[in-house]
Amino acid sequence: MADILFAGAGIAVLVLLWVMLYDSNRFVIRKYAVEDERIRKQCRAVVLSDLHNKRYGRENERLLEAIREQKPDFVLIAGDMITAAPGASMEPALKLLGELAKEYPVYYANGNHEHRMKLYPKAYGDMAERYCSALKEIGIEPMVNAHTLLPEYGIAVYGAQIHEKYYKRFTPADMEQNYLGRTLGQAPAEVYTVLLAHNPDYFPQYAAWGADLVLSGHIHGGVARVPFWGKGVIAPTWRLFPEYDGGIFREGKAVMVLSRGLGMHTIPLRVFNPAELWVVEFS
């Protein structure tokens, strides 16, 4: 009996290791469709989040091919394309972004890693300056609490960079009343409003501000997901079984598409939790 149990445990470990290797080096394509009378023209966007300098193929050719196959009209980025680590290379993210910017309009909102490099130059040196300069050279200007109107489509895209205190570990900080209104201005009612907001914890506040569609990341799907139950296990804030872990969420009339991200950091693995490339159809 003991031999059978030992053999079973060994097989289970091997299966788990295989799943870890498999899920840590693949991505799946997810799709979400929006219909709204304010949208003037049908269009398609691909959504990237939490690449963290991950490569799918030597020059990210697998990811680029998948993006091109979707034939997007533009690219939306919800932050953390790089990893804030002193001396870390930013080349994989910049090469991918450079290729995308040649072919599509790119609307980029920072995540906590892009923000952190700017906040702590003593730790990260000139990483933020070099990254921003490289983005500018390839024609990308991150939307730091800014927005752009896409009148052809009847869509407004906002990029939120919230204060670092809202990335607090263990227990989320309460967001100040009208913080988003003061930071972003008033959400326009006459167009369909897309908010690129890296941290999904404040989805109720994003919805109350006036976002129609929120695109977030940050949680990495909870790193590992419990089979059958489907819940993510742990958030980067070290909270177990986070409420917002990945997928589609609703708050009143607002919808949040929460990507499980494309890369990894800190805990460099995925279990029952492949990376995601999201495609949003607007009509």
Side-chain angles (χ1 to χ4, degrees):
M1 185 64 177
D3 289 343
I4 294 173
L5 291 174
F6 184 77
I11 291 170
V13 169
L14 287 174
V15 169
L16 185 62
L17 287 172
W18 182 86
V19 170
M20 287 168 53
L21 286 170
Y22 183 53
D23 278 355
S24 298
N25 290 285
R26 70 182 180 112
F27 62 89
V28 297
I29 296 173
R30 311 276 191 206
K31 296 186 177 182
Y32 179 72
V34 169
E35 291 185 11
D36 191 280
E37 61 184 8
R38 293 168 293 176
I39 295 172
R40 297 177 182 174
K41 180 181 176 182
Q42 187 172 348
C43 57
R44 179 182 299 139
V46 293
V47 181
L48 310 181
S49 180
D50 299 277
L51 182 69
H52 288 291
N53 279 316
K54 174 74 174 176
R55 286 187 176 99
Y56 291 96
R58 186 172 180 181
E59 299 294 339
N60 257 318
E61 60 266 17
R62 285 166 49 204
L63 182 55
L64 277 167
E65 182 182 5
I67 292 170
R68 288 168 178 148
E69 285 177 353
Q70 301 308 311
K71 295 180 171 56
D73 295 287
F74 48 90
V75 175
L76 300 172
I77 295 177
D80 279 9
M81 294 297 282
I82 45 82
T83 297
S89 171
M90 298 178 286
E91 183 181 357
L94 287 169
K95 281 194 171 182
L96 174 67
L97 291 167
E99 290 301 314
L100 293 176
K102 292 175 186 175
E103 301 178 41
Y104 315 104
V106 177
Y107 304 104
Y108 187 141
N110 287 338
N112 56 305
H113 279 253
E114 289 96 344
H115 193 193
R116 187 188 305 166
M117 294 191 307
K118 289 190 279 185
L119 289 174
Y120 302 107
K122 286 187 177 179
Y124 300 108
D126 65 347
M127 281 185 74
E129 183 179 341
R130 287 189 290 112
Y131 188 61
C132 288
S133 294
L135 288 178
K136 187 173 183 179
E137 189 173 330
I138 61 180
I140 296 175
E141 186 73 32
M143 294 189 295
V144 180
N145 297 322
H147 70 278
T148 186
L149 294 174
L150 308 179
E152 179 183 2
Y153 303 115
I155 293 172
V157 180
Y158 279 72
Q161 179 176 280
I162 59 177
H163 194 280
E164 63 174 327
K165 68 182 177 183
Y166 296 123
Y167 285 94
K168 180 183 174 184
R169 290 184 175 178
F170 305 112
T171 303
D174 291 334
M175 184 170 278
E176 300 168 20
Q177 188 174 8
N178 199 36
Y179 171 80
L180 292 172
R182 297 195 308 271
T183 304
L184 296 171
Q186 182 60 49
E190 67 277 8
V191 293
Y192 189 85
T193 301
V194 177
L195 177 64
L196 304 174
H198 186 67
N199 187 351
D201 284 344
Y202 298 95
F203 178 40
Q205 287 85 351
Y206 303 150
W209 170 74
D212 295 301
L213 176 65
V214 178
L215 302 175
S216 294
H218 188 53
I219 306 300
H220 299 187
V223 180
R225 299 184 74 82
V226 181
F228 306 109
W229 185 25
K231 282 296 293 179
V233 174
I234 189 167
T237 49
W238 300 106
R239 294 199 300 276
L240 292 173
F241 305 110
E243 177 183 2
Y244 301 120
D245 56 353
I248 307 295
F249 298 88
R250 290 176 170 80
E251 182 79 25
K253 295 181 179 180
V255 173
M256 176 169 68
V257 173
L258 173 52
S259 173
R260 298 176 191 173
L262 285 160
M264 303 162 285
H265 76 95
T266 307
I267 305 175
L269 55 88
R270 289 175 176 269
V271 185
F272 304 113
N273 179 36
E276 292 182 336
L277 174 67
W278 275 89
V279 181
V280 179
E281 298 270 3
F282 298 92
S283 62

